[in-house]
Amino acid sequence: MDKMITVQNTINATIEKVWDVWILPEHIMIWNIPFADWHTPYAENDLKVGGKFKFTMASKDGSEGFDFEGVYTKIEKFSLIEYRLLDNRTASVRFENLDTKTKLTETFEPESKNSEQMQEQFCKGVILNFKNYVENFKK
């Protein structure tokens, strides 16, 4: 395995809430953005081993965009999601229950087109946006 990038954050919400907001497409379309001038106009998520996911991420002005898609390889409810992207890179998301908080850790193999620093900043932006969304979302 090549070098991995790891991004983590602690979210002021229960693990159940964090899990639900992470996996449901109607939430993914809102939080899955790295910067204010991006959006996720499409999300599908079949959370099971062998299930597929596809999130379309794009700049709001249409100048940049891509589909983030792959297949789930391991699921442990409220604990771990592992997946393989279409280009065969692997990634995982760990959820750690800290009572009223949840520690989220995302680890992924970087792709070769963009700098690792840019990819890490992109992921940090998404995770921070996720944290802010979860902490302000009322069920």
Side-chain angles (χ1 to χ4, degrees), residues 83-98:
Y83 57 91
R84 181 173 304 283
L85 296 166
L86 291 186
D87 63 6
N88 279 324
R89 291 182 297 127
T90 60
S92 68
V93 183
R94 292 196 175 278
F95 302 80
E96 187 179 340
N97 189 345
L98 305 174

Side-chain angles (χ1 to χ4, degrees), residues 6-137:
T6 299
V7 174
Q8 59 185 202
N9 211 322
T10 300
I11 297 131
N12 295 310
T14 64
I15 200 156
E16 294 84 2
K17 182 178 181 184
V18 168
W19 182 268
D20 285 349
V21 174
W22 186 266
I23 67 170
L24 296 172
E26 61 266 29
H27 293 303
I28 293 167
M29 290 175 66
I30 299 169
W31 64 256
N32 189 43
I33 56 170
F35 315 110
D37 59 346
W38 277 65
H39 66 151
T40 298
Y42 178 81
E44 67 180 69
N45 195 27
D46 185 13
L47 187 71
K48 65 183 181 196
V49 173
K52 296 180 179 173
F53 64 88
K54 180 178 178 180
F55 313 145
T56 299
M57 300 176 74
S59 57
K60 290 180 180 176
D61 68 6
S63 63
E64 296 179 80
F66 62 93
D67 288 332
F68 183 75
E69 57 186 314
V71 176
Y72 292 110
T73 56
K74 186 174 185 179
I75 309 288
E76 294 174 8
K77 190 171 183 179
F78 302 137
S79 178
L80 176 68
I81 298 172
E82 291 182 351
Y83 57 91
R84 181 173 304 283
L85 296 166
L86 291 186
D87 63 6
N88 279 324
R89 291 182 297 127
T90 60
S92 68
V93 183
R94 292 196 175 278
F95 302 80
E96 187 179 340
N97 189 345
L98 305 174
D99 196 25
T100 60
K101 296 180 181 184
T102 304
K103 184 176 174 183
L104 181 104
T105 305
E106 185 164 8
T107 304
F108 62 96
E109 286 182 79
E111 45 90 358
S112 57
K113 286 186 289 215
N114 297 292
S115 74
E116 289 180 13
Q117 181 182 10
M118 193 280 290
Q119 292 174 71
E120 183 176 348
Q121 290 306 315
F122 194 93
C123 187
K124 279 183 177 177
V126 170
I127 298 299
L128 181 60
N129 200 54
F130 174 77
K131 172 184 168 66
N132 293 335
Y133 177 71
V134 172
E135 291 177 355
N136 293 296
F137 174 73

